[in-house]
C-alpha cells in the first residue's frame, strides 16, 4: 500500500516515514504543498492513503484537499495539525479530510487511524489473498504456506518482498510490466533504469522455493511477470 506523506517538519517527517515503512507501507514524502500536488496531479490513483499537514510551504494542506476533491478524487486523507479548536477541525473536515490528528501524537495512534481509514475506503481490496497454498494477510502483514493438514507455516519476508508479493497476488493471471511494479512498490525517486525489480523477484522466488511455491511467479520475457493462479 502506497502512502503520500506531506509534512515539512524534518524530524517528524523522518519519524513518520520510518514508522510507515516498518509497517510495510510504500512512502512518498513531500515537504511542501507544491511538491505534493505534483505527485497527486498525475499519480493520485497509485496511492491508498494520504497524510497532509495543515500548515505547509506553498499550498497548504487545506488547499491540497480542496484541489484533490475538485478532481473528484476520494483518496482517504488524514489531516495533521497543531490547531485543536473545534472550528478548525470542522474546517478541515468540510474541506474533505477523512480524519483529523492533533499534534503532538503517538505513532501507534497514527497507524490505528490509517487502518480505520483503510477499512472505510471502498477502494480497499480484501484483507486476505490466497493463491494455491500460499496466503497473504493484508491486515496482519503476514505470509504463510498452508500444508495438507491445514497448518500455517509463516514465511519471513522483507518489506519490499511483501509489497511485491502483495501486488502480484492482487493481479493473478495478469501480466504486470516491470515499470508497473517499479511504480507501485518503489518510491517516486527510485532509479527507473536499474534492475531492482528483477533482483527483488529473484529474492522473493528463493523464499517461496523453500515452501514449494517457486513456480507461482512466471517471467514473461521482455515484458514483466505474472502470478499464476493454480
Amino acid at each position: 500500500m502506497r502512502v503520500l506523506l506531506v509534512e515539512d517538519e524534518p524530524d517528524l517527517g523522518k519519524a513518520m516515514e520510518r514508522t510507515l515503512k516498518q509497517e510495510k507501507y510504500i512512502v512518498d514524502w513531500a515537504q511542501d504543498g507544491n511538491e505534493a500536488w505534483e505527485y497527486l496531479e498525475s499519480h493520485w490513483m497509485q496511492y491508498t492513503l494520504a497524510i497532509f499537514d495543515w500548515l505547509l510551504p506553498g499550498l497548504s494542506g487545506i488547499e491540497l484537499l480542496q484541489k484533490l476533491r475538485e478532481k473528484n478524487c476520494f483518496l482517504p486523507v488524514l489531516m495533521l495539525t497543531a490547531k485543536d479548536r473545534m472550528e478548525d477541525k470542522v474546517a478541515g473536515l468540510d474541506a474533505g479530510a477523512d480524519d483529523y490528528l492533533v499534534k503532538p501524537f503517538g505513532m501507534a495512534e497514527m497507524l490505528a487511524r490509517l487502518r480505520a481509514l483503510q477499512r472505510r475506503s471502498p477502494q480497499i481490496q480484501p484483507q486476505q489473498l490466497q493463491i494455491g497454498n500460499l496466503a497473504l494477510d493484508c491486515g496482519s502483514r503476514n505470509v504463510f504456506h498452508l500444508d495438507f493438514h491445514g497448518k500455517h507455516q509463516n514465511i519471513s519476508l522483507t518489506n519490499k518482498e511483501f509489497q511485491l508479493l502483495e501486488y502480484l497476488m492482487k493481479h493473478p493471471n495478469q501480466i504486470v510490466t516491470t515499470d508497473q511494479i517499479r511504480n507501485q512498490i518503489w518510491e517516486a525517486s527510485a532509479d527507473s533504469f536499474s534492475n531492482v525489480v528483477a533482483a527483488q523477484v529473484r529474492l522473493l522466488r528463493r523464499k517461496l522455493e523453500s515452501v514449494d511455491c517457486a513456480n507461482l511467479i512466471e517471467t514473461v520475457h521482455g515484458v514483466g511477470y505474472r502470478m499464476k493462479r493454480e
Side-chain angles (χ1 to χ4, degrees):
M1 288 174 285
R2 195 182 200 97
V3 176
L4 177 62
L5 169 62
V6 193
E7 172 57 62
D8 65 321
E9 295 180 33
D11 290 343
L12 177 58
K14 287 178 184 176
M16 294 173 68
E17 182 185 39
R18 182 171 58 251
T19 299
L20 289 165
K21 286 184 174 180
Q22 287 172 349
E23 294 297 312
K24 297 185 172 68
Y25 289 100
I26 305 153
V27 184
D28 290 330
W29 176 20
Q31 298 189 52
D32 68 67
N34 292 329
E35 180 187 6
W37 184 245
E38 289 178 7
Y39 283 118
L40 290 167
E41 190 171 23
S42 55
H43 301 298
W44 66 265
M45 292 186 68
Q46 295 182 7
Y47 295 105
T48 304
L49 299 163
I51 306 171
F52 294 170
D53 190 14
W54 184 305
L55 297 176
L56 294 166
L59 294 171
S60 69
I62 290 291
E63 290 171 322
L64 277 175
L65 268 172
Q66 291 169 338
K67 287 173 72 70
L68 196 61
R69 298 314 185 214
E70 285 170 4
K71 290 174 66 77
N72 293 319
C73 170
F74 299 102
L75 176 70
V77 174
L78 174 63
M79 178 69 78
L80 308 178
T81 183
K83 298 172 178 283
D84 60 356
R85 298 185 310 156
M86 180 58 67
E87 294 90 339
D88 295 319
K89 293 182 180 180
V90 170
L93 294 170
D94 282 346
D98 296 276
D99 200 0
Y100 199 100
L101 193 54
V102 177
K103 299 179 179 179
F105 55 85
M107 295 298 163
E109 181 181 5
M110 177 191 72
L111 293 173
R113 288 179 180 269
L114 291 178
R115 288 193 295 270
L117 287 180
Q118 289 172 228
R119 289 193 295 270
R120 296 204 297 266
S121 172
Q123 302 174 33
I124 300 303
Q125 298 194 27
Q127 285 293 295
Q128 191 165 98
L129 307 169
Q130 184 170 345
I131 292 181
N133 291 331
L134 185 67
L136 181 149
D137 191 304
C138 302
S140 67
R141 319 297 281 171
N142 289 323
V143 177
F144 45 89
H145 178 259
L146 303 172
D147 66 17
F148 293 109
H149 303 288
K151 293 182 179 179
H152 293 182
Q153 178 184 355
N154 286 332
I155 305 170
S156 178
L157 300 181
T158 65
N159 284 354
K160 279 289 178 279
E161 289 166 352
F162 180 93
Q163 290 158 0
L164 173 59
L165 181 61
E166 180 183 32
Y167 183 61
L168 291 172
M169 291 182 72
K170 284 181 175 178
H171 299 84
N173 291 333
Q174 297 179 33
I175 298 174
V176 291
T177 68
T178 299
D179 285 343
Q180 285 176 317
I181 295 172
R182 185 185 294 109
N183 291 338
Q184 284 294 323
I185 71 173
W186 270 271
E187 289 72 21
S189 58
D191 181 3
S192 61
F193 295 101
S194 71
N195 65 345
V196 65
V197 174
Q200 200 66 65
V201 170
R202 284 196 298 271
L203 292 172
L204 177 59
R205 277 177 169 154
R206 289 177 191 171
K207 298 281 183 75
L208 297 181
E209 208 170 88
S210 66
V211 292
D212 298 323
C213 292
N215 295 324
L216 287 180
I217 302 175
E218 176 187 6
T219 299
V220 182
H221 294 289
V223 183
Y225 303 90
R226 175 167 46 204
M227 172 66 75
K228 295 186 292 183
R229 186 187 292 277
E230 293 182 331

